Amino acid sequence: SYRTSTLGRCGFLGGYRWGHCAVAEGACRLAPAGLGMMLWQGAVAFELWTPCKNKENLMSIRLVTVRDVVLGEGMPKVCVPVTARTHPELVAQAALASAAGPDLVEWRVDFFDEVTDPAAVLSALDALRRGLGEIPLVFTFRSAREGGRRELPEAEYVALIERASASGFVDVVDVELFTSEAAVRSVVASAHAHAVAAIVSSHDFAATPPAAELVARLRRAQELGADLPKLAVTPTSPRDVLALLEATWTMASTYAEVPIITMSMGGDGVITRLAGEVFGSALTFAAVGATSAPGQVDLETVARVLALIHANR
């Protein structure tokens, strides 16, 4: 759906100019019309693309590449969570997930009993990285207020994520939108400084706000520097599912500069986990064993349905 002209490669060098592109503290800007740019360091590439005609008339977006996985084009990619409480359980879950062949694996570190021990977390990340090989790893601490297992003081929460970004073991980190603005900006900046992509997320396990509010949250996440704005809500009726799909399409077709991730949870919301390619969501979550949220479907089924939709578009 998109094409690009890649001028070359560069690192995160504040204020460095090369050719027609400017790089300032890891932020890419489009060159003049018809030109694109790739910013590459380590395993993460941020690509700026110019649009070509396509039937959906989606916005021109900056694709996000983590290792060999490109988010924002083609079929939605599939991420499998691991939710173990102990190091040995984590290694076992990661082996099962890796064998199933997802596009990405997410470690929900809020389930981990030793989450407040930095050495234990880094040791677990090391083991995960070795066990997953080249499968990209997403690092997520989900707070209790957004459906996770526990809370951390903000300073500890930020430090936890920023240590993960600096570890060299993770490819994507998640920070919650309703953390303070300073905290979100700090986490995003730290991630980019270490060539790690940033999800800025919002989760509502009680209800589905109006579509306009959902779009506003996605746009705010984008404004704060998210490479992947994420939104998950809970429907109380099929109308709520339609609100999520409407918001997804509105964001993707009108405002998105980066790939977005959206889903409606629970049984009524399963369709949103499967129809992302139609409405504009770039990533979905599936289960291999344990689930991390209501409505997650097994990986084999998700992959089959995504392929069916893709083949008929």
Side-chain angles (χ1 to χ4, degrees):
S1 299
Y2 298 90
R3 61 176 180 267
T4 185
S5 171
T6 303
L7 297 182
R9 296 183 177 181
C10 54
F12 288 91
L13 301 174
Y16 178 73
R17 288 187 176 272
W18 181 74
H20 293 288
C21 297
V23 180
E25 298 177 349
C28 290
R29 297 197 176 114
L30 278 173
L35 296 178
M37 179 178 140
M38 175 182 287
L39 172 60
W40 176 274
Q41 181 170 327
V44 180
F46 302 90
E47 303 177 46
L48 291 181
W49 297 63
T50 56
C52 62
K53 293 180 181 179
N54 64 83
K55 63 182 180 181
E56 292 90 356
N57 194 32
L58 293 176
M59 294 285 289
S60 172
I61 63 169
R62 167 168 62 80
L63 302 184
V64 175
T65 303
V66 285
R67 297 186 184 266
D68 293 328
V69 176
V70 181
L71 295 160
E73 68 173 5
M75 287 193 300
K77 304 310 182 285
V78 185
C79 183
V80 166
V82 291
T83 58
R85 295 180 56 188
T86 68
H87 189 125
E89 291 173 358
L90 182 65
V91 172
Q93 284 190 16
L96 287 174
S98 179
D103 297 304
L104 303 93
V105 168
E106 178 188 45
W107 182 23
R108 280 286 304 275
V109 69
D110 50 296
F111 282 82
F112 191 53
D113 287 343
E114 297 179 276
V115 65
T116 57
D117 181 343
V121 172
L122 288 175
S123 176
L125 279 173
D126 184 16
L128 274 174
R129 180 72 278 152
R130 287 185 281 109
L132 294 176
E134 288 303 306
I135 298 175
L137 177 60
V138 182
F139 183 87
T140 299
F141 180 95
R142 183 67 60 238
S143 69
R145 67 182 180 273
E146 297 211 8
R149 292 295 296 271
R150 66 191 82 204
E151 291 287 337
L152 285 177
E154 185 175 277
E156 292 183 30
Y157 172 75
V158 169
L160 172 70
I161 303 171
E162 292 185 353
R163 280 194 298 268
S165 292
S167 70
F169 300 133
V170 308
D171 304 289
V172 185
V173 295
D174 180 296
V175 59
E176 293 173 355
L177 175 64
F178 289 117
T179 314
S180 71
E181 178 177 341
V184 174
R185 291 192 182 279
S186 178
V187 168
V188 170
S190 175
H192 290 170
H194 294 96
V196 170
I199 295 171
V200 178
S201 64
S202 172
H203 302 76
D204 191 326
F205 276 76
T208 299
E213 168 62 18
L214 301 181
V215 173
R217 292 184 188 186
L218 290 167
R219 293 184 69 185
R220 180 57 176 159
Q222 182 171 266
E223 290 167 2
L224 291 172
D227 305 297
L228 297 160
K230 179 189 175 191
L231 182 66
V233 294
T234 301
T236 59
S237 71
R239 188 176 298 277
D240 285 344
V241 178
L242 291 174
L244 184 280
L245 292 174
E246 178 188 351
T248 303
W249 171 246
T250 298
M251 182 69 185
S253 63
T254 308
Y255 302 111
E257 299 169 4
V258 293
I260 63 173
I261 305 166
T262 68
M263 66 210 67
S264 186
M265 295 181 285
D268 284 350
V270 166
I271 189 172
T272 68
R273 297 180 178 274
L274 303 173
E277 186 173 356
V278 177
F279 293 93
S281 180
L283 180 70
T284 191
F285 290 77
V288 175
T291 64
S292 62
Q296 284 179 0
V297 181
D298 68 276
L299 175 60
E300 182 179 354
T301 300
V302 169
R304 186 168 62 250
V305 175
L306 292 179
L308 176 66
I309 292 172
H310 181 73
N312 285 278
R313 298 198 72 224

